[in-house]
Amino acid sequence: MANLREKILAVKDIKEKVVHIDEWETEVLIRGLNGAKRARLLQNNIDKQGAINFERMYPELLILTVHDPESKEPVFQPEDRDALNAKNGGVIEKLVQVAMTLSGLDAQAVESAVKN
């Protein structure tokens, strides 16, 4: 049993994907969220009535998931929230969809979080 535990805990299971953004003439690395960050993202952006604050959640998700493909360092910081909200909505949506997929945040998962 201990061997299985060690095996599971040793697996690098955070998914990543490099995404080319034509509008920004660059590529970014999207890294999925770990369990704690995913839970915190949902807690911070779903109110008691079950409404999702997309204006807050989208930039927060990008701050947590967008990395430099070479250095692996985060590209954005929390103070970039307003600047991200001012960027091309289609680009933001594209990146958010990749981040959500890599983090297991499909519509059903978000709906489940809203109910709970």
Side-chain angles (χ1 to χ4, degrees):
M1 188 83 114
N3 289 337
L4 178 58
R5 177 185 170 276
E6 290 169 12
K7 177 182 176 183
I8 292 169
L9 294 177
V11 170
K12 303 290 185 206
D13 61 354
I14 304 297
K15 296 178 183 178
E16 298 180 345
K17 181 177 183 177
V18 174
V19 178
H20 181 78
I21 305 298
D22 290 330
E23 295 85 346
W24 295 351
E25 299 178 0
T26 195
E27 291 183 339
V28 296
L29 174 68
I30 306 293
R31 183 178 291 161
L33 298 174
N34 64 29
K37 288 180 181 178
R38 182 181 182 274
R40 201 167 27 254
L41 177 80
L42 293 171
Q43 285 176 330
N44 290 343
N45 293 289
I46 299 173
D47 68 20
K48 297 204 185 302
Q49 290 74 37
I52 300 170
N53 183 340
F54 290 103
E55 186 175 353
R56 178 177 167 82
M57 186 170 109
Y58 274 23
E60 186 174 335
L61 182 58
L62 297 183
I63 290 164
L64 293 170
T65 61
V66 177
H67 294 77
D68 182 307
E70 293 177 19
S71 71
K72 309 292 189 209
E73 293 296 317
V75 172
F76 303 114
Q77 299 300 316
E79 58 269 16
D80 296 323
R81 176 174 281 114
D82 290 339
L84 284 167
N85 273 330
K87 298 304 290 176
N88 179 311
V91 172
I92 299 302
E93 184 68 28
K94 177 181 178 177
L95 294 173
V96 163
Q97 290 304 316
V98 172
M100 289 178 77
T101 298
L102 295 177
S103 301
L105 285 168
D106 59 18
Q108 194 171 22
V110 173
E111 184 178 317
S112 176
V114 168
K115 287 180 183 176
N116 296 323

